[in-house]
Amino acid sequence: MKSSEKLKHIRNIGIMAHIDAGKTTLTERVLYYTGKTHKIGEVHDGQATMDWMPEEQERGITITSAVTTCFWKDQEIHVIDTPGHVDFTIEVERSLRVLDGAIAVFCAVGGVEPQSETVWHQADRYKVPRIAFINKMDRLGADFENCINQMKERLGAHPLIITIPYGAEDQFKGIIDVIYEKWIYWHDDTLGAEFEEREIPAEMLDEVQNKRNALIEAVAELDDIIMEKYLAEEEISSEEILAAVRTACINLKGTPVFCGTALKNKGVQPLLDAISNFLPSPLDVPPVTGEDPVTKEEISRKTDENAPFSALAFKIQMDGGRKVVFARIYSGSIKEGDDVLNAGRKTKEKASRILQIHANKRERIDFATAGNIVGIMGLKETITGDTLCDPKAPILLEPIDIYKPVISVAVEPKSSADQDKVEQSLKKLAEEDPTFKFKIDEETGQTIISGMGELHLDVLTHRLLREYNAPVKVGKPQVVYRETIQKTNKYLEKFEKEIAGTKQTATVEIELLSLERGSGNKVISKLPPEKIPKLIENAMLDTLKQGLEGGVVRGYPMLDVEVNVIDAIYTEGHSSEIAFRAASSIALRRALEGADPTLLEPIMKLEILVPDNYMGEVIGDLNSRHGRVEGIEPRGAIQVIKGFAPLSKMFGYSTALRSATQGRGNYTMVFSHYEKI
């Protein structure tokens, strides 16, 4: 088979959703019906194949994204099952960065929930085509149409309804395909493996016809040929509709929508067909673009195994102390023993082994080509977001956005003998998870670990004991604040010092500006060309960027500050890189002190689900935590309270909410922005 022909039959997809929408349950059915597994593993039993970590099995949640490869008809499908909890959203971010398509799973009862919005907009940012699967149609309160409306209102999506439910809740009897106008009926005694197509029941005929007409109208707006036929009232074939939906999906103009119940084994096979019918192959996506590491010119790589090798490392996993780098290959091929260039670090590495991944199982393969997702062993210095490429044809791909931690705790070994073991274990965890950071506090000697939330840090401290046999004592959670400035300020620093018997001088003048919240930091040189050597200028800018990592109030990172270098004096023979770095560092510190620095605290976006009769008590408690209610939305018998609150006041909130609502309240909390304390 030709390379291009083979690539046409590959799909790189992810499954993403809010926590408890049923992603992992759906993935288990995909593995079972494609013959990858011979037993359906259930999340609630702790037996799910893709939730292989002990922490995942005990908690019943997905913590780390898991990769597998399965085959459906003539398609090779690489699947990444991602977490739904906000604390592990980096797993979604780095998965979407390397995927060609995704399945967004929605709960038919909960609809579009907060983390559903987060992952949807992450996919928007990376321009990933999506299929929607409305799950749990058998659950009490399931509402297909409400889900569709929420997709339009909250996500700005353009749903293209391909299947509709026949019945709902305990009367759910299967699904109806509106393109081919067939009722698909599953046999319960075969775990959903066997199904048959039946004629549409009489009471559903009008609804199916209406939905089919609406689908044709929607795709007619996107396809000129169908528009002509539609206006001429000519017959439009199912194959023409199918092709138009595929084009709309790949071009991000529409989202094909399917429904079912993964737990009851209904609706999965049509979704598998949809993966090949609607989601793109590696050939359908534009060539990957990057820059030449030396000239900085933009270059691209076609998805072709004969092109120079390029790949993006998107995940690191420690396997029994050995490092496995998960990589998406965009062009060329790689085989065991190949030397590859880490373009960002300018280091050569040797790929000692190539692996095909199935959750926590590995299968050794000789080589891998463009379009594949593989594990590579032997890469010692590579971390998340690094580009791997042919040393003779270097390219630097766009890295992966990394979120900053918002919460910290102090940890200490249970005995002094464990100090080194704990430190080495923390290094390995930090290499796996770029949102996890640790440092030694110079004043107290304590080890401070930082992450995305209480659950994130709880999981990591449990992993220290379970996986690395490095038990720690954990302190109370602390908020990771930020610092900013409130006014403009200038500072001129003249540095003069004798270093190694030579007088060193450097003069640097900088200006600080306060930026709008959420702008990030900027460090800009406004010096005229040739004012100082380029090497010195780069050293100054690098020092200023590093200097913003620690503020002057309490040493927290600075946020939303612009630093402009407005003047510098270089003296031949007396000015050096060291002198300019020292001058820049002192100038920044003094300028920050005079720019009215202040602390910022993280503000969390809340969505609290409570029964009517507990709403007053819950709102009162939220107000006592300095929170503010932005709106209240009825959802059946449940009220959804939307608002914001400082993270510092939200520790232990789940216990307080359960107590206030007799266990019936639920909430989600995601980072929103920073505000002045």
Side-chain angles (χ1 to χ4, degrees), residues 113-128:
E113 297 167 282
Q115 189 65 2
S116 310
E117 293 186 53
T118 302
V119 297
W120 187 272
H121 295 315
Q122 283 174 309
D124 279 341
R125 193 162 66 251
Y126 290 118
K127 296 182 169 58
V128 178

Side-chain angles (χ1 to χ4, degrees), residues 323 325 348-350 377-383 431:
K323 179 175 169 181
V325 175
K348 279 191 180 178
E349 303 242 50
K350 186 176 286 293
M377 295 183 74
L379 307 179
K380 295 177 182 175
E381 295 186 38
T382 300
I383 63 169
E431 196 168 0

